[in-house]
Amino acid sequence: MDLYEVGEELRRAQAEFHQLVGTASRGDLERLTNGTRWTNRQLLFHMVLGYGVVRTLLSLVRTLDRLGYSRGFAAALNAAHRPFHAINYLGPCLAARLLSPHAMTALLDTVIGSLQRRLTTETERSLASSIYVPTDWDPYFTPTMSVLDVYHFGTQHFDHHRRQLTIAAPHTQS
């Protein structure tokens, strides 16, 4: 992964999200997903939330890398993985009721826009900053992650959940 590839995958995920939401029927949104207990609408919100986690993690990486406390922080978060998973499940259940698909798309646009602007200011040194992360929280978290890894994580998370959506593919005119 490099800066260009990360920027391209952010653009691709954003365009794909727009297409998914733009073509989804009400029935599509309320249908259950493959492999989760969420509906498509709830999982779409969770996918947006993944990029919000990236934004938060970027600040944590920078701060904890400077302070050198990331190993203990990751251990403490791993110890709290059960409450995290409960909140991680319930949050999208509630938020998807409050946010329309249009609002989710606007939120994703805001978060990805913020990440893209940040990406343009990164240096080799800043991209190499790294910390220990709570591997029990997500299958795409590795024991240590750099800033570049964190940017890439958002799209790994997005792509993983994209495969679980059961939104019908848009029909094309012949």
Side-chain angles (χ1 to χ4, degrees):
M1 279 277 110
D2 64 22
L3 284 176
Y4 177 79
E5 291 171 315
V6 169
E8 286 301 305
E9 69 183 14
L10 287 170
R11 281 185 277 288
R12 175 190 53 82
Q14 185 177 19
E16 203 168 307
F17 193 88
H18 276 260
Q19 181 182 21
L20 285 164
V21 170
T23 60
S25 69
R26 182 178 299 243
D28 286 334
L29 292 171
E30 299 312 317
R31 186 177 307 117
L32 289 176
T33 58
N34 287 322
T36 80
R37 296 181 297 169
W38 285 315
T39 65
N40 285 316
R41 183 176 177 152
Q42 292 164 338
L43 186 54
L44 285 166
F45 177 79
H46 178 76
M47 292 162 69
V48 172
L49 189 61
Y51 284 108
V53 168
V54 168
R55 205 163 56 173
T56 301
L57 276 176
L58 289 171
S59 297
L60 279 173
V61 172
R62 287 178 175 85
T63 302
L64 293 176
D65 183 51
R66 278 192 300 270
L67 297 175
Y69 295 126
S70 69
R71 187 182 299 256
F73 184 71
L77 291 178
N78 268 334
H81 74 276
R82 282 197 174 100
F84 166 77
H85 288 303
I87 293 165
N88 190 40
Y89 170 72
L90 292 173
C93 291
L94 299 173
R97 288 184 183 172
L98 301 174
L99 290 178
S100 69
H102 175 75
M104 287 184 222
T105 302
L107 180 58
L108 180 76
D109 289 348
T110 299
V111 173
I112 285 185
S114 166
L115 292 173
Q116 288 170 324
R117 285 187 299 280
R118 258 179 125 162
L119 195 57
T120 64
T121 67
E122 299 288 2
T123 65
E124 280 189 42
R125 185 173 183 204
S126 69
L127 289 171
S129 294
S130 66
I131 61 168
Y132 291 93
V133 296
T135 55
D136 291 346
W137 283 37
D138 192 278
Y140 295 102
F141 282 178
T142 59
T144 59
M145 292 178 72
S146 69
V147 166
L148 187 60
D149 295 332
V150 170
Y151 276 111
H152 180 56
F153 160 76
T155 304
Q156 288 177 299
H157 179 266
F158 179 93
D159 289 343
H160 173 87
H161 290 304
R162 169 63 185 101
R163 291 186 293 273
Q164 295 175 314
L165 291 171
T166 57
I167 294 174
H171 299 285
T172 57
Q173 298 284 331
S174 338

